[in-house]
DNA sequence: CGCACACTTGAGTAATGTCAAAGAGTGTGG
DNA sequence: CCACACTCTTTGACATTACTCAAGTGTGCG
């Protein structure tokens, strides 16, 4: 089942209908713009940006970047959730990040992609060719600066994730994950105590370096100790965000232990 | 003992004597230049580069960047080995990378350092202030491009490390580490089957998400199965680099099992 | 309504961590 | 130059966490 959509021999993602993707309107109207690189481009230059982008949508479960393929594009996620992952020879999977609206994709890339990317939900993105980006950056050095900032932030996040993977316990990992998603909601100005888990337990496990079962058990334990509440599938309410945050940083875990 | 040199209240690292660090000579003569960012600066502009750098040396074991401190500098390692690490509240340590001559340090940084850096061996580096770098980049966009490339490479390496930490077994982790160091020797044009381990077992463990004991046991096992040889302390000869490389990628490990 | 899939729960195992002690290597001072 | 002290590494015995395998439960979709 994990391989259902694997492999690269897929029909291409379809461009949005109507050719609406060429023109300044889409960029100006883009809800993700404020969150993304594109924010570094002034209103007056949006047409230039729009000219090099193609907006596309990808259905749930579709792999749209396969590790090893020539890296021809950069992507800007405008809607949905994407998982970035790498595989070992025997199929073990490590998800190196989840991407959401506003996130930029393609930095960790030389000539070929070193990772795969799969749409966790239905996804919409703007795509640029590397060539076009190159020319564009010449003209808008501000965007290049922004890319460097983004890369720095991603690098910091990657280091944080290394701490999690290398040194945290299962409980701390899951608490970190919930806290991370909560912070993201906060940044978006939404209620930060209710989280939608769009991804499967398997994906959460592959992100945290755990098995599905351990993720499930840990969530159950959190629920039974009153740290979280799960009103319905895919929804988690953080009953005690503070305790979760402390737990995620490696605070004494005996205080909330079963 | 781990705290012997910890804390920020240390005498500053000393600049090299003679003021030799201001002038073009040091950059032109720098052995690490070909490996580093500085390579993006042409010979004719080296004086400009030298004008904003200060070369310093740091003794073994000295922490020269402490997480949380204001990020005022970027560094270019020109000699020695540096470890970059993060700590959890209770002292658990995760080393996110080892840096060698030519490596650039300071990218994963906003206004304060999110990591600490310690000299594993005696270290020499060139230091730039953020301000100076900003002005310099305006003038030499080529260097900025180079930084973006470096950041991309680091990001790819970070993802690779996440796979290691999240999904590899102890044997695979240690094999990966040896293979990584071997590749580095290769890139430097040196014999790639003999590796100097400048760092302690503890550091290797903190890098691989293992304990000292597990690292030690795994190395012993590799030796007893003929994968490696340890002629003297700190030296490892890869007797079967191919098998190690395969093991590190998650190949069937039964073929070399004890 | 029933099938499929994802999630949960349980029992037993294996890998790695913990604690403890002995051995090896390094440097220092007598 | 040797002996001692210190630290790092190795080895051993045991504990524990998280994994594996397996069965059951729930949920959503056709």
């Amino acid at each position: 089942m994990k391989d259902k959509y694997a492999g690269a021999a897929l029909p291409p993602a379809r461009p949005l209908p109507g050719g609406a993707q060429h023109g300044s309107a889409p960029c100006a109207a883009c809800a993700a713009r404020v969150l993304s690189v594109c924010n570094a481009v002034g209103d007056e230059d949006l047409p230039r940006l729009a000219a090099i982008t193609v907006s596309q949508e990808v259905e749930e479960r579709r792999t749209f970047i396969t590790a090893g393929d020539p890296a021809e594009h950069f992507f800007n996620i405008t809607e949905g959730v994407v998982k970035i992952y790498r595989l070992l020879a025997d199929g073990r999977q490590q998800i190196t990040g989840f991407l959401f609206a506003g996130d930029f994709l393609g930095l960790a890339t030389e000539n070929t992609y070193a990772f795969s990317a799969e749409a966790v939900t239905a996804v919409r993105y703007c795509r640029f060719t590397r060539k076009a980006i190159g020319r564009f950056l010449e003209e808008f050095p501000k965007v290049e600066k922004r890319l460097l900032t983004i890369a720095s932030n991603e690098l910091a996040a990657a280091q944080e994730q290394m701490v999690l993977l290398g040194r945290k316990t299962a409980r701390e990992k899951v608490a970190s994950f919930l806290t991370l998603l909560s912070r993201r909601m906060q940044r978006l100005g939404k209620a930060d105590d209710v989280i939608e888990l769009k991804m499967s337990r398997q994906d959460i496990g592959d992100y945290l370096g755990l098995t599905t079962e351990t993720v499930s058990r840990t969530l159950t334990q959190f629920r039974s100790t009153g740290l979280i509440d799960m009103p319905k599938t895919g929804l988690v309410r953080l009953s005690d965000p503070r305790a979760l945050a402390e737990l995620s940083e490696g605070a004494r875990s005996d205080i909330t232990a079963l």
Side-chain angles (χ1 to χ4, degrees), chain A:
Chain A
M1 75 201 71
K2 188 176 287 183
D3 294 319
K4 192 169 9 175
Y5 290 92
L10 289 166
R14 56 200 145 133
L16 289 183
Q21 69 273 22
H22 281 179
S24 71
C27 287
C30 176
R33 182 183 161 210
V34 288
L35 302 166
S36 75
V37 227
C38 309
N39 208 21
V41 177
D43 286 343
E44 68 282 9
D45 294 317
L46 281 185
R48 295 293 320 277
L49 177 61
I52 64 165
T53 80
V54 177
S55 177
Q56 292 188 318
E57 54 188 17
V58 168
E59 70 205 34
E60 195 175 325
R61 295 288 231 146
R62 172 73 58 86
T63 297
F64 63 95
I65 296 179
T66 303
D69 281 359
E72 279 159 5
H73 298 102
F74 290 101
F75 303 81
N76 231 329
I77 312 302
T78 55
E79 215 181 301
V81 181
V82 172
K83 74 176 192 193
I84 306 301
Y85 63 96
R86 293 188 179 211
L87 296 173
L88 288 175
D90 61 359
R92 275 173 286 174
Q93 180 174 111
Q94 178 65 43
I95 294 180
T96 57
F98 289 108
L99 301 182
F100 303 89
D103 287 336
F104 188 79
L105 172 53
L107 279 173
T109 272
E110 198 74 10
N111 293 316
T112 59
Y113 295 114
F115 52 81
S116 302
E118 181 183 314
V120 171
T121 64
V123 161
R124 189 169 296 192
Y125 57 66
C126 284
R127 208 182 67 180
F128 316 76
T129 66
R130 298 188 65 137
K131 264 189 195 162
I133 273 256
R135 286 192 300 265
F136 191 78
L137 290 183
E138 302 286 327
E139 210 169 330
F140 299 94
K142 207 174 152 189
V143 176
E144 185 150 37
K145 276 213 161 37
R146 180 97 179 91
L147 280 183
L148 194 53
T149 304
I150 290 175
S152 290
N153 290 339
E154 280 193 36
L155 221 34
Q159 291 183 350
E160 189 66 43
Q161 189 67 0
M162 288 188 226
V163 176
L164 180 147
L165 291 169
R167 286 303 179 212
K168 289 187 182 176
T169 64
R171 302 182 76 235
E172 290 164 352
K173 286 177 175 181
V174 175
S176 298
F177 183 63
L178 295 176
T179 302
L180 180 77
L181 292 181
S182 168
R183 293 235 177 80
R184 196 183 144 270
M185 294 305 277
Q186 209 168 29
R187 241 178 298 122
L188 295 177
K190 300 187 188 174
D192 64 350
D193 63 339
V194 176
I195 293 170
E196 275 182 290
L197 297 180
K198 303 283 198 178
M199 64 292 288
S200 68
R201 295 286 185 273
Q202 180 69 55
D203 282 346
I204 298 174
D206 284 344
Y207 180 61
L208 300 177
L210 298 171
T211 58
T212 325
E213 294 95 325
T214 299
V215 172
S216 183
R217 275 189 251 271
T218 306
L219 286 172
T220 301
Q221 195 198 6
F222 282 177
R223 191 173 40 186
S224 68
T225 52
L227 285 174
I228 63 171
D229 189 23
M230 299 177 69
K232 60 177 197 172
T233 21
L235 267 193
V236 176
R237 204 178 65 77
L238 310 191
S239 317
D240 195 344
R242 181 72 178 273
L244 281 171
E246 279 174 11
L247 180 51
S248 72
E249 300 302 332
R252 292 159 306 131
S253 59
D254 48 297
I255 55 173
T256 47
L258 187 63

